[in-house]
């Protein structure tokens, strides 16, 4: 079954295939553009691989089906896009508190409101700051290419299980719709359900999946325990890419599709003599604070580029703690910046540096 | 001396926190006895909902999951789909099942999920202090209908069993109460048949049990039982609304 030959695949389908190969046993979801190829692919192929596919009546139901299946020890995922992910926030908060592993794909579209179906990065805050109520975070990974989306999806199930926490893969319509050549990983079988999972207690003690802690000190301990895991994540799960950052006097910070477009502009700017580099966070939570500080060590100015009105730029500023001026350029509403306009912005920022 | 009764194995030793005269406790016991009698305590996965019965996960001696308000049928669906070999049940109040979770309930029933729902209808929101529930009777006072529920303002009491009866995926639907020994026996039989629906893979089984909330009804326990028998039953008639096993339905009458 293992095929290592490169294949041309659409981002959404490649993600679905990578999930099946990672041993995903169940998928619950509700249709929404621009990620419909994921449930379509899962409906066709997951049952053939021995898994469960179910179209839920809403995203509310879908994420709670994920909760149930994860609590029963199954490798499980869902996928959606912005409005649907908003509806899942309640469930994600419960899942994080109950310490259940699951994978959530978010192919972000423009908003607020019903917004549009075009690519956007305007759900960064929702993804990395928790999103639902209470003290919790998701482990958030943002691929920039279809191959990276495959590799990250494949790894995400084990990451979710390692931390017993939801992992969100934050993409956008560009990544989902783009066709690229990918090498697919080998098929992995899922592990047997862990001891804590509700599988029928047999002769043992009852297992309880729960997020209710009525006493303040017990709830506080729970939060501290959850945040101790996040401290571990910050040690072990930080991912980023550096592109010409050595000696960069102008540093661009961008993630996902925007980073990819920025690279083209950066190549041209460098050819024109601007000492510019790119820092691309791949793990958005935990955010690569130290690595960004190092990459910006010689920078006179940092330009954050996003397809939003400016969200990650806050984390960039927090990382750099005022050491370097941070400026922002963004397109939003589904408008994708062109390499040409980014190049223009690079010139403007470089010429106006302090 | 001969022992005629004992605590069901499907209940833990945790003391119930329910108010005096509340029939949640009787319903817990009946459910536990049924789990034991079917030999399912070690196999079952139960789902506690949000409401006065939220701590059900401490009371049932089987694997349990606690679900968000109204989402128990979705959680049960997720579990049953990945573990069809387990017996899966939910325990939900009328606010949980009939209001915030009516969508999950209807769709789980319509998909014919092989799960069993124990639906406790006490005509109010018990846990949050006696607000109007979808099942609050016309004219009934609650903390959010201080002059009584009116059709014009609040609409009609929601007939959950009658609604679900219409769905082909619902295999067994019955409404019972626990206000007398004979009603308790009827409830026990209904639970057994709802269990059978799941065991035989026939679809969703639901037993709606009319239950007391003396505290929020501002009644003593005896008055509360009378309120069920005289007022609630008039609005919510008892009986088997649907039985996958037509013969049992006929014989049972
Ligand atoms: C999303 C959400 N909304 C509201 C609440 C508050 N709440 C807790 S219990 C409850 C009502 C439960 O009533 P019911 O289901 O009838 O059960 P009972 O307490 O009467 O047994 C509400 C509204 C909540 N926990 N979660
Ligand atoms: S508030 Fe009502 S439903 Fe809740 S335990 Fe007390 S009597 Fe029972």
């Amino acid at each position: 079954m293992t095929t290592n030959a490169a294949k041309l695949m659409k981002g959404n389908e490649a993600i679905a295939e990578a999930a099946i190969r990672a041993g995903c046993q169940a998928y619950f979801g509700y249709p929404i553009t621009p990620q419909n190829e994921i449930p379509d692919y899962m409906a066709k192929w997951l049952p053939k691989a021995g898994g469960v596919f179910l179209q839920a009546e809403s995203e509310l139901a879908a994420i709670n089906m994920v909760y149930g299946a994860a609590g029963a020890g199954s490798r499980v995922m869902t996928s959606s896009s912005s409005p649907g992910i908003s509806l899942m926030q309640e469930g994600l908060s419960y899942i994080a508190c109950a310490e259940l592993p699951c994978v959530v794909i978010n192919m972000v579209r423009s908003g607020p409101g019903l917004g549009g179906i075009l690519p956007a990065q305007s759900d960064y805050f929702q993804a990395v700051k928790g999103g639902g109520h209470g003290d919790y975070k998701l482990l958030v990974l943002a691929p920039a290419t279809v191959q990276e989306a495959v590799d990250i999806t494949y790894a995400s199930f084990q990451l979710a299980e390692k931390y017993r926490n939801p992992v969100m893969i934050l993409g956008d319509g560009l990544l989902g719709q783009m066709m690229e050549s990918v090498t697919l990983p080998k098929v992995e079988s899922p592990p047997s359900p862990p001891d804590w999972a509700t599988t029928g207690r047999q002769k043992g003690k009852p297992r309880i999946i729960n997020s209710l802690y009525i006493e303040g000190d017990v709830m506080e301990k729970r939060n501290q325990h959850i945040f101790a895991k996040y401290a571990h994540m910050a040690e072990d799960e930080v991912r980023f890419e550096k592109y010409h950052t050595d000696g960069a006097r102008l540093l661009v910070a961008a993630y996902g599709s925007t980073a990819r477009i920025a690279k083209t502009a950066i190549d041209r700017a460098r050819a024109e003599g601007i000492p510019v580099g790119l820092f691309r966070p791949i793990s958005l939570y935990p955010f690569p604070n130290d690595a960004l500080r190092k990459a910006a060590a010689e920078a006179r100015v940092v330009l954050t580029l996003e397809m939003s009105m400016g969200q990650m730029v806050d984390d960039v500023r927090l990382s750099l703690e005022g050491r370097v001026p941070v400026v922002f350029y963004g397109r939003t509403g589904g408008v994708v910046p062109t390499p040409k306009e980014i190049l223009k912005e690079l010139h403007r920022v470089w010429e106006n540096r302090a | 001396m001969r022992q005629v009764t004992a605590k069901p194995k499907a209940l833990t030793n945790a003391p119930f926190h329910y108010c005096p005269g509340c029939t949640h406790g009787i319903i817990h016991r009946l459910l536990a006895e049924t789990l034991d009698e079917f030999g399912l305590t070690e196999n079952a996965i139960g789902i506690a909902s949000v409401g006065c019965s939220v701590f059900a996960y401490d009371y049932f001696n089987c694997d349990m999951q606690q679900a968000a308000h109204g989402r128990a049928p979705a959680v049960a669906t997720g579990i049953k789909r990945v573990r069809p070999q387990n017996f899966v049940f939910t325990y939900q109040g009328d606010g949980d099942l009939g209001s915030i979770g009516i969508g999950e309930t209807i769709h789980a029933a319509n998909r014919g999920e092989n799960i069993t729902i124990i639906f406790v209808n006490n005509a109010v929101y018990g846990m949050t202090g006696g607000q109007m529930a979808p099942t609050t009777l016309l004219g009934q006072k609650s903390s959010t209908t201080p002059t009584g529920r009116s059709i014009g303002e609040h609409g009609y009491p929601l007939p959950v069993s009658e609604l679900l009866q219409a769905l082909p995926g619902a295999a067994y639907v019955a409404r019972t109460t626990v206000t007398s020994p004979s009603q308790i026996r009827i409830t026990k039989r209904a639970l057994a048949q709802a269990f059978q629906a799941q065991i035989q893979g026939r679809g969703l089984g639901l037993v709606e049990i009319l239950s007391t909330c003396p505290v929020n009804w501002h009644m003593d326990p005896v008055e509360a039982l009378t309120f069920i028998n005289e007022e609630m039953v008039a609005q919510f008639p008892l009986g088997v609304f649907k039985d996958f096993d037509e013969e049992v339905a006929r014989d049972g009458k």
Side-chain angles (χ1 to χ4, degrees):
Chain A
M1 278 294 291
T2 316
T3 41
N4 284 321
K7 249 178 117 173
L8 199 61
M9 283 185 99
K10 216 178 199 188
N12 282 332
E13 291 181 346
I15 285 173
E17 177 61 28
I20 293 173
R21 285 173 183 246
C24 174
Q25 292 166 292
Y27 173 99
F28 302 97
Y30 187 83
I32 185 168
T33 308
Q35 59 83 55
N36 290 320
E37 293 84 358
I38 299 177
D40 291 357
Y41 194 94
M42 284 301 200
K44 190 165 175 196
W45 295 106
L46 187 55
K48 291 199 174 87
V52 169
F53 170 87
L54 183 63
Q55 179 171 327
E57 63 269 33
S58 68
E59 289 87 351
L60 271 179
I63 196 67
N64 283 284
M65 290 171 185
V66 168
Y67 177 100
S74 202
R75 262 195 187 167
V76 56
M77 69 175 286
T78 185
S79 62
S80 189
S81 177
S82 310
I85 297 287
S86 288
L87 276 182
M88 290 187 186
Q89 293 306 328
E90 175 198 50
L92 288 170
S93 166
Y94 277 68
I95 290 171
C97 187
E99 295 201 86
L100 301 177
C102 69
V103 172
V104 181
I105 315 282
N106 183 1
M107 287 298 174
V108 180
R109 56 188 253 180
S110 64
L114 193 50
I117 59 170
L118 296 171
Q121 295 182 316
S122 40
D123 296 337
Y124 175 93
F125 282 150
Q126 186 193 52
V128 307
K129 304 293 178 190
H133 61 285
D135 273 333
Y136 79 94
K137 309 279 185 186
L138 310 176
L139 202 171
V140 185
L141 301 170
T145 66
V146 177
Q147 183 66 56
E148 196 174 43
V150 163
D151 297 341
I152 282 178
T153 304
Y154 191 73
S156 62
F157 289 90
Q158 286 192 19
L159 283 174
E161 285 155 18
K162 179 174 171 189
Y163 293 100
R164 291 184 58 181
N165 197 74
V167 173
M168 177 175 279
I169 298 173
L170 198 70
D172 56 54
L174 274 182
L175 183 72
Q177 301 304 320
M178 176 162 64
M179 277 191 103
E180 280 188 311
S181 163
V182 287
T183 308
L184 293 164
K186 67 176 174 40
V187 177
E188 193 188 311
S189 17
S192 40
D195 290 342
W196 51 258
T198 59
T199 54
R201 70 174 170 85
Q202 306 312 329
K203 301 290 168 209
K205 286 208 177 80
R207 275 81 54 104
I208 298 173
I209 302 297
N210 183 32
S211 70
L212 176 65
Y213 298 92
I214 221 84
E215 279 133 23
D217 53 338
V218 183
M219 183 80 245
E220 184 182 51
K221 279 210 181 74
R222 185 67 169 183
N223 288 341
Q224 287 163 347
H225 163 73
I226 290 173
F227 273 70
K229 297 192 300 186
Y230 301 155
H232 266 216
M233 279 182 199
E235 295 283 309
D236 292 350
E237 311 306 340
V238 166
R239 298 176 186 213
F240 55 87
E241 184 201 349
K242 291 189 295 182
Y243 185 69
H244 298 306
T245 52
D246 285 348
R249 312 302 300 271
L250 165 57
L251 186 70
V252 172
Y255 71 96
S257 299
T258 308
R260 203 174 164 155
I261 301 163
K263 269 190 188 174
T264 312
I266 286 169
D267 288 343
R268 278 192 226 155
R270 291 182 65 86
E272 289 165 18
I274 302 179
V276 54
L278 170 74
F279 183 84
R280 176 171 74 94
I282 299 170
S283 60
L284 301 183
Y285 187 89
F287 195 76
N289 294 306
D290 294 342
L292 174 58
R293 262 196 302 276
K294 280 186 200 133
E298 293 173 59
R300 301 278 300 273
V301 58
V302 173
L303 168 66
T304 304
L305 294 174
E306 296 176 60
M307 289 192 283
S308 79
M309 293 300 288
Q311 300 195 9
M312 185 181 77
V313 61
D314 283 11
D315 281 340
V316 170
R317 289 200 173 106
L318 285 170
S319 283
L320 297 176
E321 294 172 325
R323 290 181 174 92
V324 197
V326 176
V327 294
F328 173 77
Y329 182 77
R331 297 304 302 268
T332 180
V335 179
V336 178
T338 62
K340 208 170 144 193
E341 76 178 287
I342 293 178
L343 181 63
K344 207 170 131 203
E345 188 60 20
L346 292 177
H347 274 286
R348 202 184 62 77
V349 170
W350 181 243
E351 276 136 37
N352 291 307
R353 69 190 182 276
Chain B
M1 251 208 283
R2 192 168 64 95
Q3 186 176 1
V4 290
T5 185
K7 188 168 183 205
K9 287 195 177 59
L11 286 179
T12 64
N13 289 325
F16 290 161
H17 68 281
Y18 299 109
C19 307
C22 176
T23 45
H24 262 305
I26 296 176
I27 299 165
H28 276 26
R29 184 182 168 108
L30 293 177
L31 174 56
E33 284 179 2
T34 312
L35 283 166
D36 282 352
E37 282 159 24
F38 277 81
L40 286 170
T41 308
E42 295 180 353
N43 167 278
I45 305 170
I47 295 122
S49 63
V50 173
C52 279
S53 58
V54 68
F55 293 117
Y57 58 76
D58 277 337
Y59 304 147
F60 289 102
N61 197 11
C62 59
D63 278 359
M64 293 291 293
Q65 294 197 19
Q66 201 290 315
H69 198 20
R71 317 290 171 230
V75 172
T77 298
I79 298 172
K80 188 70 180 183
R81 290 289 178 127
V82 298
R83 296 198 63 84
Q85 67 272 42
N86 287 94
F87 182 81
V88 179
F89 69 89
T90 73
Y91 188 106
Q92 302 175 256
D94 44 81
D96 191 87
L97 181 143
S99 189
I100 196 166
I102 191 70
E104 283 77 2
T105 304
I106 287 177
H107 284 283
N110 197 45
R111 285 191 302 264
E113 294 295 341
N114 282 307
I115 58 171
T116 304
I117 295 181
I118 290 81
F119 168 38
V120 178
N121 176 357
N122 60 12
V124 284
Y125 283 19
M127 190 187 220
T128 40
Q131 293 85 359
M132 180 184 71
T135 48
T136 296
L137 304 185
L138 292 176
Q140 186 182 344
K141 287 182 182 165
S142 72
S143 68
T144 49
T145 54
T147 57
R149 180 178 190 154
S150 77
I151 296 172
E153 260 189 278
H154 316 104
Y156 300 87
L158 190 76
V160 170
S161 289
E162 287 84 346
L163 262 178
L164 293 188
Q165 175 186 25
L167 304 177
Y172 182 79
V173 182
R175 186 184 288 125
T176 69
T177 185
V178 288
T179 53
S180 69
S182 66
Q183 290 300 334
I184 287 172
R185 275 195 293 277
I186 291 170
T187 298
K188 186 91 180 278
R189 277 206 295 279
L191 287 172
Q193 192 63 357
F195 272 48
Q196 282 293 352
Q198 177 172 171
I199 291 163
Q200 295 179 25
R202 301 300 187 93
L204 186 127
L206 177 140
V207 183
E208 172 176 352
I209 305 170
L210 305 184
S211 184
T212 58
C213 183
V215 169
N216 290 304
W217 294 354
H218 308 290
M219 294 178 192
D220 68 32
V222 176
E223 286 167 351
L225 294 175
T226 310
F227 180 78
I228 291 184
N229 290 333
E230 291 179 1
E231 312 281 332
M232 278 186 84
V233 166
Q235 175 68 49
F236 299 115
L238 305 179
V240 176
F241 290 82
K242 182 120 179 232
D243 195 331
F244 61 94
D245 195 343
E246 304 268 5
E247 285 179 21
V248 174
R250 235 178 292 132
D251 296 348
K253 273 184 190 145

